[in-house]
Structures are given as structure tokens and as C-alpha cells.
Amino acid sequence: MQFPTALLKTSVSFLLWLVAAAPVLGGGGPENLVLVVNANSASSLAVANHYIHLRDIPRHNVIYLDSVPDREQIRVDAFVRTILQPVLTEMDQRKLGSHVDYIVYSADFPTVIDIKIHRDKLVELKPGLPGRLYMPWASINALTYFYPSCIAGDPSYMLLDANWYSRRVSPQLLEMPFLGDRQKSYAQALVAYKQDRFEDAADRFRELAKKHPGQVAAGYQLARCLAQLESKQEAMRQLQRVVAAGWCYRSYTANDEAFVDLKQEPEFQTLLSTMPDKLLGMPPTRGFTSRVAWGPNRWPNSEANQGKRLMLSTVLAVTRNRGTTLSEALDQISKSVSADGTRPAGKFYFTSTGDVRSKTRRAQIPIAIAALRELGLASEQIGRIAPVDQKQILGVTMGVAKFNWENVRSQLIPGAIADNLTSTGGVMRANGAQTPLTEFLKHGAAGASGTVCEPLAIAAKFPNAMIHAHYARGCSLAEAFYQSVDGPFQLLIVGDPLCQPWARFPDFEVRGLADGDIIDGAIAMEIEPATNGVEIARYEMYLDGVRGRDVAGSNSKINISTNQMSDGYHEIRIVAVEPSLIGTRKSRRIGFEVRRGERRVELKPAAGRQTSLDGQITLNATATFGEAITIMQNSRAVGKIDGDEGSITIEGKLLGLGKTTLIAVVSGDDLSVSSRPASIEVTP
């Protein structure tokens, strides 16, 4: 039994918050993550319970699947039918599409997907492609990342430049930001500009910039037109907009002949001084959102048909065959969560040897070291297969077929990304020939990756050395991985996607509503930022899992009517987002009970809140209305009581190892009333 439909209905008062604003980029948080659980796997339940508890994942964002194939490898049609499509359908029914950026799998999912039917189609479309370069296997997280292509049977996700969120140099920055008719209009505007028809060009660029405010190419070209039309103030305002959107090419802008009349203006020089100076075409590090189409020039477009819609994805743990033990997986997750915002001291290491696995990524190392040193972080290129006898390793990039980290005698700090280029690092079956990625996870890394089949020594299939710089700039682990790999279709990524050791989190206080409050009228909240030096650009609001209108500014007063809310338990989540391109987030959850009428539901353990995996726990439930009471663990029903009161006994193994919460729900008259959550712990 899945999530009761009535629970998805949202109050009219809250729907007044909903807006169709342009999507704003931002780093991830628990509200942005859907966790997919294999309901028939003890390991998957245990890993999920642990992660939900530590990361405070909303119960609406947990999806349990009952028909997950019990194999490491399955065909792509089976993957879509039994895993991907059911997840997307549930997300749509729960109204999560407006804010979810991550689909993350707990343990015990197939990690290798047979994509032969897609590879054969690619060969038909592009005759002459070297077959060995496109071996017909993909990782579960990569096909989830490229979910629209996977479902449509579009094999373009296999190409080595398929990832348009990657931060590679794009010579198309100012030439091809769009697709189809939008690109045709953009090209016509470029021609008009070159022919000195500046007003015509400005009209076209203005329309494109209005439709796609995150796409800096159209905005920058509009500023050039305005400067040529001698509209200095308008040109300056437009330049300020594109700089705020991430335009970061100071030297190029300073030498652009279009701005020759602006160069002596103090305002122009001030703007230049605030602008980074990247190589033209190199996109800046930035947070991810699934609600834009990433354009061919690596910048976000607002229309879905103007690029690629993507979804960050990792696997939390692999606990069978060449994976970690369950205990190691739980420990690794705990360390990852504890690393957030710690900004640890230590050093990044990049190995450089004569092994082709190492040489493949050697050219990227100096760029990454320079970027890390700009951040004040120590880094070193070493001429051996691994950093030996080193403490406080912040991250490592290696290239070797086999290694034993215990023999290396070095320490990975909590939160570290450890990455090794080898042929079968992502092959989890028992007879894998080379060291698996889980060797790093066993020794404390927050995340690691490896290919699920022989990839050849192709740099585009692996994270480049800049992964550590994206991470150190404050991105989440998943954002760092996907920004650094151009063709990830064979790459299995395992670890905590939300880990952010170098993030500077905004913080705030909420007054007017506290956890546990009982409300019978309006809610008047005041949100005040903390004095930790991190600016807050906006707040996001969520009521019972549904996102409402963003509130701009750091100090805000919010009034919410409960007139159309059902009686019973509800949750408001308030998320503060800082203003950089990364958009680091901090959330607070407040649970409260509406008591306006006589409808009540209560759930209490009969004797204690703990049981063992082999044991049972008994709960008592009472309601003032309805014909049945459903007991829910997150989004799935785990029991039912006929009538308006009674007891129920639930087996520990059904809930899974670890801490979890249960609620009682009574549905009727097109609404649902929920009890306060009951915390339960299942021990070994």
C-alpha cells in the first residue's frame, strides 16, 4: 500500500503561496532529495532509516519499491518498468517535481543496466562509432541522471560530451546557447549586430534574455547592443544582471570593443573589479537544479526544450558482493553527515605515475591545484600510486589497477572524496578483477566512483581533478561529481550526495511557531537571520511536503491561515538559501497540531519504543472518527486497524534496523488526519 491519496491534498490557504516563478539555482538539502528504498531488503531498509534520521529527509520524499529485481545487472527496459518510472510517477503524484533535484538509491539495487538496445540505436544513428568506446552497460545513477533520454530510448546520453551540467570549457558560450527556433532567433540577432542593426538585434536579445534570465549569452549580447545604442545606464544595468547570473569573464569584458564608451565610467570599472576572471567559455562552479534545461553552452535555460533536463543521482551504499558491510555503510554515512560545514584542515593529493590510468588525467592536475590554492587549501601532486603515511587527507585522485588502502596507512578525513581511475572500480559482482570503489568507503570516504564495465582510458568518462575544487567551493558531493565528468553513462557513484564539508550554511531563527505547538487559528511567524556572516537571499516554504512561494529578503514575516487545513499533525519546513551561484541551504522543520474541530488521531507504543529485528512492537491507536486507522512508516503503510481504536503488532524486520518514525492516519470526506509521530528504534 502506497501513500494515501488524501494525504497529498494541500490546503487552499497554503496554495495561495504557490507561484510559477523562474527557477532559482541552489545547492541541495533534504527537501530536494527523494530516497528510493528496496522494501524487500533488510540492508536497504537499514541504510534508508539511518539516512532519513541523520539527514531529516521528509517522509513524503521516501519512496518504497516492492518489485526491485534481486540482481546486480538488469536490462534497461526492466529498469524503467520496475524502478525509474514508478519513482517518477510517485514524485508526480506527491507534487515533488517543483523542488526535487536528487533521486538517491539506498542499498540493494541493481547497479549495472544492460543498454544494448540503446547502444544499437546509437550505432545506427552514428555509423562508424568505435564499439568498444560505447560498451552496452550503464550505471543506475547515470540513467537516472539522464532520465528523459533513458525513458525516451534516446541513446545520446552515451556520448562523451552528453553532460551539459559539467563545467568544461565551452567554445559555444556566445555562439550556441539555445536549440531549434530559439537558436535560430539568436543567430539572426548576431547577424543583425554585425550589420550594425543594433535596435533589431537588441529586440531579439531582449526577448531571449527575458525568457531565459539564467542564460548569460543572451543577456551579455543585449548589454553590447545597448552600449552601441548609447544607452549607457541600460547597458550597465544589463551587465549587472549578467554578472549576478554568473558572468565571470573580466578580461574579455574589459577588452570588448562594444563597451569602449563605458570603459571610463567609474560604475563600469567597479563592476569589473567585482567580476572573476575566468577563461572565456569556462562555466563557474554552481549549484544544481532539475528545473532548468542545461543548454549546449553549459548555462541554464528556462524552457524545457532548450537543453537537457537532468537529475542528480547516487547510490548510498553497496552492501553485497564487493561492497561494504552494513556496519561499514552506516558508519560511512554517519561520518559524511558529521562533516558538513566543518571546513577541515589537511591536504588534497593527486597521484601522477607512468600508469595509463594516471596519465589519462594528468593534464588536469595543475588547474585543480591552482584552484584549490586560491581557496587557501593545500594540495600536492605526488609521483607514487597513493599518498603513503599521510594524515588528514581532504581528497585524493588516483589511477591504479589494484591497491590496498590499509597498507597505504593514510587517513581520509570525514567528508573526503576519493577517486581512482581503473577499469572495473564500479563492478560490484564478486569476481571483479580490480580494486572496487568501496575500498575507499570502507576507510571513511564520503563518496567514490568507478565504471561498471571496461571504459578504456577515456578521461571524459571519469571525474576530472577539478572535482575537489568544486567540492571545496561549497558544492555538495553529487554536484561536485557531476560538474567534473563529461560522459558519465558508465560511472557508478556511491556515497552521501548531500555531504558539504566546505559549505558556509546560512542560519536563522523562527518565532511565532514552535515544535509541538497546538494551533486553532492563524499562524504568524517571524524569521530572523543569525549573525554568522552568511547572507540570506530568500526563504523557501514547504507544508506537508508541498513547496509554496519563496519569500525574498533575510527578515520576513509570514502569516498562514489554517482554516482549510485538516485537523491533526502537520509540518512546516523553512529553508534559507544564500545568494551565491551555489545557493547553500539550511532548513528547519517545525511540527505542529491543528485543533479546530473534534477530529483527533493518537498513536502510542503500548510498552516501550524499542524492539529487535526478530521482535515485535505493539502500538495503540485511537481516533474520533473514521472506519479504519492506517499506520504509516514515512510514505508506506505498514499496518491497519479496523475501527476507530485498537492495537497492532508490527514486526521489527518490516520496519528495518535503526531509528524510524510511525504515524497513524485516518482518511475520510476527502481529507486525512494524522497523529503526532511516534519514534521507534529497531535494534540488531
Side-chain angles (χ1 to χ4, degrees):
M1 182 175 179
Q2 285 294 336
F3 208 80
T5 303
L7 276 181
L8 303 175
K9 297 186 180 297
T10 310
S11 71
V12 173
S13 59
F14 184 69
L15 285 173
L16 294 176
W17 295 6
L18 294 176
V19 292
V24 182
L25 298 184
E31 296 78 18
N32 308 107
L33 183 146
V34 158
L35 180 61
V36 188
V37 188
N38 181 347
N40 297 314
S41 162
S43 180
S44 192
L45 289 169
V47 168
N49 286 344
H50 195 60
Y51 196 69
I52 293 165
H53 173 68
L54 292 181
R55 284 287 180 203
D56 195 22
I57 305 298
R59 60 190 176 94
H60 312 82
N61 292 32
V62 184
I63 296 175
Y64 294 87
L65 299 181
D66 293 314
S67 302
V68 177
D70 187 24
R71 299 186 297 279
E72 289 297 333
Q73 179 176 314
I74 60 173
R75 287 165 51 100
V76 67
D77 54 345
F79 166 66
V80 171
R81 184 180 67 255
T82 63
I83 299 175
L84 183 58
Q85 191 61 67
V87 168
L88 296 175
T89 299
E90 279 293 315
M91 288 173 57
D92 182 59
Q93 291 177 351
R94 300 181 194 184
K95 303 178 183 177
L96 299 177
S98 67
H99 56 273
V100 166
D101 297 323
Y102 299 69
I103 295 176
V104 177
Y105 298 96
S106 186
D108 273 3
F109 279 86
T111 53
V112 186
I113 313 300
D114 180 341
I115 55 169
K116 185 177 184 302
I117 57 174
H118 292 173
R119 198 278 299 271
D120 291 347
K121 186 182 294 187
L122 183 69
V123 171
E124 290 178 9
L125 294 172
K126 295 182 178 291
L129 282 179
R132 289 190 67 207
L133 197 60
Y134 299 95
M135 297 290 280
W137 292 281
S139 71
I140 183 173
N141 56 271
L143 290 186
T144 305
Y145 183 64
F146 291 116
Y147 73 98
S149 296
C150 178
I151 289 176
D154 173 8
S156 63
Y157 66 81
M158 300 176 69
L159 299 176
L160 298 183
D161 63 349
N163 181 12
W164 288 358
Y165 174 59
S166 71
R167 306 291 86 190
R168 63 178 289 183
V169 174
S170 173
Q172 299 175 319
L173 172 63
L174 292 174
E175 284 72 41
M176 191 175 177
F178 301 110
L179 299 172
D181 290 342
R182 291 280 182 263
Q183 179 59 29
K184 182 178 179 181
S185 180
Y186 183 84
Q188 290 171 341
L190 288 177
V191 170
Y193 181 89
K194 291 176 182 178
Q195 295 175 347
D196 295 342
R197 293 186 288 116
F198 300 122
E199 289 189 4
D200 183 17
D203 287 343
R204 291 179 181 273
F205 287 133
R206 184 178 286 107
E207 180 182 1
L208 291 168
K210 183 178 180 179
K211 289 181 180 293
H212 301 277
Q215 176 55 259
V216 295
Y220 183 75
Q221 298 288 17
L222 174 58
R224 299 179 78 235
C225 290
L226 293 170
Q228 294 294 329
L229 291 168
E230 298 184 359
S231 300
K232 290 185 179 181
Q233 288 186 339
E234 283 189 77
M236 278 302 309
R237 284 196 294 270
Q238 185 58 36
L239 275 176
Q240 289 166 350
R241 292 189 190 102
V242 295
V243 170
W247 181 264
C248 53
Y249 312 107
R250 184 173 66 232
S251 295
Y252 182 85
T253 307
N255 295 318
D256 192 332
E257 292 184 359
F259 302 122
V260 64
D261 292 336
L262 285 177
K263 288 184 179 180
Q264 304 307 314
E265 298 291 333
E267 194 176 9
F268 183 79
Q269 293 300 321
T270 298
L271 185 64
L272 285 178
S273 69
T274 65
M275 194 185 305
D277 196 15
K278 291 186 178 293
L279 175 69
L280 183 68
M282 172 64 78
T285 296
R286 70 188 311 155
F288 176 85
T289 178
S290 65
R291 292 165 299 287
V292 300
W294 294 91
N297 68 345
R298 269 59 180 178
W299 287 81
N301 291 324
S302 300
E303 293 176 300
N305 65 348
Q306 290 304 305
K308 296 184 180 183
R309 296 287 296 272
L310 304 167
M311 183 75 69
L312 297 179
S313 181
T314 71
V315 176
L316 280 183
V318 177
T319 56
R320 56 191 178 192
N321 297 330
R322 299 209 302 163
T324 64
T325 66
L326 176 58
S327 177
E328 288 170 335
L330 300 181
D331 183 60
Q332 180 258 335
I333 290 172
S334 295
K335 288 179 178 178
S336 299
V337 175
S338 71
D340 284 356
T342 56
R343 307 185 68 81
K347 184 182 286 189
F348 293 90
Y349 289 90
F350 303 88
T351 68
S352 179
T353 69
D355 192 319
V356 66
R357 301 167 183 83
S358 178
K359 290 192 293 185
T360 295
R361 298 189 285 186
R362 182 180 295 168
Q364 308 157 355
I365 294 174
I367 300 170
I369 288 178
L372 290 167
R373 288 178 178 170
E374 282 183 6
L375 298 170
L377 295 168
S379 56
E380 183 180 355
Q381 179 174 319
I382 59 175
R384 56 198 313 173
I385 66 169
V388 178
D389 290 324
Q390 299 299 320
K391 309 302 180 186
Q392 294 296 104
I393 295 179
L394 303 179
V396 61
T397 291
M398 296 166 42
V400 62
K402 295 182 179 181
F403 67 96
N404 183 309
W405 192 261
E406 189 170 331
N407 293 341
V408 170
R409 302 182 304 278
S410 290
Q411 179 187 47
L412 294 165
I413 60 99
I417 289 176
D419 187 66
N420 182 46
L421 191 159
T422 191
S423 296
T424 59
V427 175
M428 293 293 108
R429 63 178 182 268
N431 60 346
Q434 299 177 355
T435 303
L437 64 90
T438 47
E439 178 70 8
F440 289 124
L441 303 178
K442 291 178 181 179
H443 293 90
S449 68
T451 50
V452 297
C453 66
E454 170 58 62
L456 304 181
I458 306 298
K461 294 186 178 185
F462 295 88
N464 61 50
M466 279 295 290
I467 185 174
H468 302 294
H470 297 310
Y471 202 35
R473 288 169 178 164
C475 285
S476 71
L477 181 141
E479 289 171 333
F481 265 104
Y482 284 102
Q483 284 181 98
S484 63
V485 57
D486 296 327
F489 80 99
Q490 293 173 335
L491 193 69
L492 178 66
I493 304 172
V494 183
D496 176 6
L498 295 181
C499 187
Q500 292 177 274
W502 283 275
R504 295 186 182 275
F505 293 97
D507 202 1
F508 60 97
E509 298 292 336
V510 179
R511 297 185 178 87
L513 183 66
D515 204 51
D517 278 358
I518 296 173
I519 306 294
D520 61 2
I523 300 172
M525 293 186 295
E526 185 172 350
I527 309 174
E528 183 177 331
T531 56
N532 65 348
V534 180
E535 186 180 348
I536 295 174
R538 72 181 193 277
Y539 297 100
E540 296 174 357
M541 305 291 170
Y542 300 81
L543 175 63
D544 295 332
V546 179
R547 182 174 174 177
R549 180 167 51 199
D550 294 355
V551 180
S554 57
N555 288 280
S556 299
K557 294 183 178 180
I558 301 170
N559 296 312
I560 305 171
S561 171
T562 64
N563 287 340
Q564 300 301 319
M565 292 185 193
S566 66
D567 283 353
Y569 181 79
H570 297 273
E571 284 185 355
I572 282 180
R573 287 177 180 250
I574 300 173
V575 182
V577 186
E578 56 90 20
S580 77
L581 288 181
I582 293 172
T584 303
R585 309 157 64 84
K586 177 72 174 288
S587 65
R588 294 195 182 279
R589 170 175 52 88
I590 305 173
F592 62 98
E593 187 176 352
V594 174
R595 287 189 185 177
R596 187 180 47 257
E598 298 300 324
R599 293 182 172 182
R600 305 276 188 277
V601 185
E602 291 188 1
L603 179 67
K604 294 182 179 180
R609 297 176 178 270
Q610 191 177 87
T611 187
S612 67
L613 271 174
D614 295 328
Q616 299 175 326
I617 190 163
T618 300
L619 303 110
N620 298 326
T622 60
T624 60
F625 76 108
E627 299 178 354
I629 303 171
T630 302
I631 310 302
M632 304 287 296
Q633 180 192 28
N634 298 310
S635 61
R636 68 166 178 161
V638 292
K640 184 178 180 181
I641 299 171
D642 292 326
D644 58 9
E645 65 176 321
S647 297
I648 188 169
T649 299
I650 300 174
E651 294 184 347
K653 64 182 179 181
L654 175 63
L655 302 177
L657 184 69
K659 295 179 179 179
T660 189
T661 57
L662 304 177
I663 63 169
V665 179
V666 176
S667 299
D669 300 332
D670 203 31
L671 56 81
S672 292
V673 177
S674 302
S675 71
R676 291 178 180 268
S679 298
I680 305 296
E681 182 173 12
V682 179
T683 60

